[in-house]
Amino acid sequence: MSINIRAETEQNNGVWMMKASQGALGGKDSVYRWWLDANARYSDDANGFEQSILRPGLGYALPKNHTLWAGYGWIASSPEVGETVHEHRFWQQPSWKISMGKFGFSSRSRLEQRFREGSTDEAGWRFRQFFKLTHPISDSSLYWCNWDEVFLNLNNTDWGVDSGLDRNRIFLGVGWKPESIQYFKTEVGYLNQFIHHKSGSNRLDHLLSFNLFFSF
């Protein structure tokens, strides 16, 4: 896999917001899980609204903080030019988390099958690898959080997907988990997204990211 690092890179600014909820199906001792996240994304390149995502899923808990997940995603994207594009994604992933002293570490490996309305039924297969590291700030309810996610397209499609590196996201921010609300936490910070294009200009997004998490 080769990347032309000399290619011109377009700069873009924006704000991304996410609310994610998860819980146990049938009681806290159940091995079955549910998931739902909703996203609203705004950027300069899209003249305001850029993308919305609604992504439900079901999971099965395994020993040692491992969980198997599968679900569906509905995505509406507003390009800089043209009408809104609708995409349907099916996804599967294992995820796990551990604690190492005061450090928290989590990971997920997601496989997606992407279908775009108005195109052929050809699926775009994409692999996403996510790693996250957290550490408390002194003895407060605040903590540092840093994560990275790389996206790899596994095939070409006639609706515009090229195999190879798709994008990479790096987040650095601060989280808050109040002791009085055990099921809630929030994370705010800077998100850098690099989007690779084999032909044309690459894109670099500088994003303010707000995230709310609920665990029941």
Side-chain angles (χ1 to χ4, degrees):
M1 178 176 62
S2 62
I3 303 173
N4 183 8
I5 60 175
R6 296 182 180 179
E8 181 183 353
T9 300
E10 298 179 353
Q11 304 287 328
N12 178 51
N13 301 310
V15 177
W16 285 14
M17 296 176 288
M18 182 188 74
K19 177 184 177 182
S21 303
Q22 64 174 313
L25 285 170
K28 293 185 178 181
D29 295 329
S30 173
V31 296
Y32 298 101
R33 300 286 187 267
W34 62 269
W35 171 274
L36 178 65
D37 69 85
N39 299 258
R41 297 172 177 175
Y42 300 86
S43 75
D44 293 343
D45 277 1
N47 299 315
F49 170 76
E50 181 177 18
Q51 191 175 67
S52 62
I53 299 176
L54 186 64
R55 189 164 32 213
L58 295 173
Y60 184 84
L62 300 172
K64 298 182 179 180
N65 292 318
H66 287 69
T67 308
L68 299 178
W69 295 94
Y72 163 78
W74 173 77
I75 297 89
S77 302
S78 176
E80 190 173 1
V81 178
E83 297 182 352
T84 299
V85 176
H86 297 277
E87 184 177 315
H88 305 275
R89 298 177 191 166
F90 298 95
W91 56 273
Q92 309 83 36
Q93 70 179 42
S95 64
W96 64 280
K97 58 183 179 180
I98 59 172
S99 296
M100 300 174 289
K102 291 187 177 182
F103 286 94
F105 180 80
S106 59
S107 171
R108 70 167 183 253
S109 303
R110 179 176 295 173
L111 184 65
E112 296 178 321
Q113 301 84 50
R114 305 169 62 198
F115 299 88
R116 182 163 295 181
E117 288 186 7
S119 302
T120 66
D121 293 334
E122 183 179 14
W125 289 75
R126 185 167 69 179
F127 177 74
R128 303 168 53 167
Q129 182 59 55
F130 173 93
F131 296 103
K132 181 177 182 180
L133 188 67
T134 63
H135 189 278
I137 300 175
S138 300
D139 295 325
S140 69
S141 56
L142 300 174
Y143 59 93
W144 298 110
C145 51
N146 174 234
W147 57 259
D148 182 86
E149 186 173 20
V150 61
F151 296 63
L152 299 174
N153 291 321
L154 303 182
N155 67 321
N156 300 319
T157 71
D158 57 7
W159 46 270
V161 171
D162 294 319
S163 62
L165 177 67
D166 178 32
R167 66 193 63 203
N168 190 80
R169 295 173 182 166
I170 300 175
F171 174 86
L172 179 61
V174 176
W176 177 53
K177 185 174 176 57
E179 294 183 2
S180 59
I181 313 176
Q182 292 296 316
Y183 59 85
F184 169 79
K185 67 179 181 181
T186 183
E187 295 175 358
V188 179
Y190 168 71
L191 175 59
N192 179 282
Q193 176 176 236
F194 171 75
I195 303 176
H196 173 61
H197 296 292
K198 285 188 175 181
S199 59
S201 299
N202 296 323
R203 174 172 152 175
L204 192 64
D205 292 332
H206 305 281
L207 306 164
L208 182 60
S209 177
F210 295 92
N211 305 282
L212 301 176
F213 301 92
F214 298 87
S215 183
F216 302 101

